[in-house]
Amino acid sequence: MYANILLSTDGSDVARKGVKHGIGLAKALNAKVTVITVTEPFPIDYGSGHASGWIPTQQEFDSFEAASKERAGKVLDEARAMAEQIGISVELLHVPNAHPATTIIETAKSRGCDLILMGSHGRRGLRKLFLGSQTSEVLADGSVPVLVVH
């Protein structure tokens, strides 16, 4: 039914459940799996109206980039360990400085994925009480079927 599954994770508990479910589904279907984590760009406030804004130093940029890369590595290492435990191999992908929903959709298309599997929400403010903002965007804008795991 599905031969090429894209699993999206941000490392949250709900996303972890999605990865575990996706790995199990992929094993049952003998499907190829790509696990993606996307880190957003450093937030910059250029100011608007009467506000002066804030522009980070190069050191702050570098520190943010290093922390993002380290976090993504841990998230993907955890996904690899889950896959190895169940006996399948997965391709791991970190896309830095990008909008998660857009990147998930583009990656699914460019890699020929026939299913996107993601958790119902990540770590996003009040909207996490409902369907997560990135999940909502992927559902609304994507052309690939999406399986949402709670």
Side-chain angles (χ1 to χ4, degrees), residues 42 56-70:
F42 194 89
T57 65
Q58 187 62 48
Q59 182 181 1
E60 289 168 323
F61 267 120
D62 294 345
S63 178
F64 176 83
E65 291 296 317
S68 293
K69 186 176 181 179
E70 180 180 349

Side-chain angles (χ1 to χ4, degrees), residues 4 10 16 18 31 38 65 67 70 92 97 107 122 129 147:
N4 191 357
D10 64 1
R16 194 174 298 113
V38 182
E65 291 296 317
E70 180 180 349
L92 304 173
N97 300 313
T107 301
L129 298 175
L147 176 59

Side-chain angles (χ1 to χ4, degrees), residues 82-137:
M82 291 168 72
E84 287 173 353
Q85 197 171 43
I86 200 167
I88 68 168
S89 63
V90 295
E91 183 177 351
L92 304 173
L93 179 62
H94 172 221
V95 180
N97 300 313
H99 180 261
T102 303
T103 304
I104 291 164
I105 292 166
E106 290 173 355
T107 301
K109 287 179 187 175
S110 69
R111 292 179 177 247
C113 296
D114 48 16
L115 179 69
I116 298 171
L117 193 144
M118 55 195 312
S120 58
H121 62 270
R123 297 180 231 137
R124 292 254 172 191
L126 291 177
R127 292 184 76 182
K128 76 179 182 181
L129 298 175
F130 305 102
L131 194 60
S133 59
Q134 301 306 317
T135 304
S136 295
E137 284 185 51

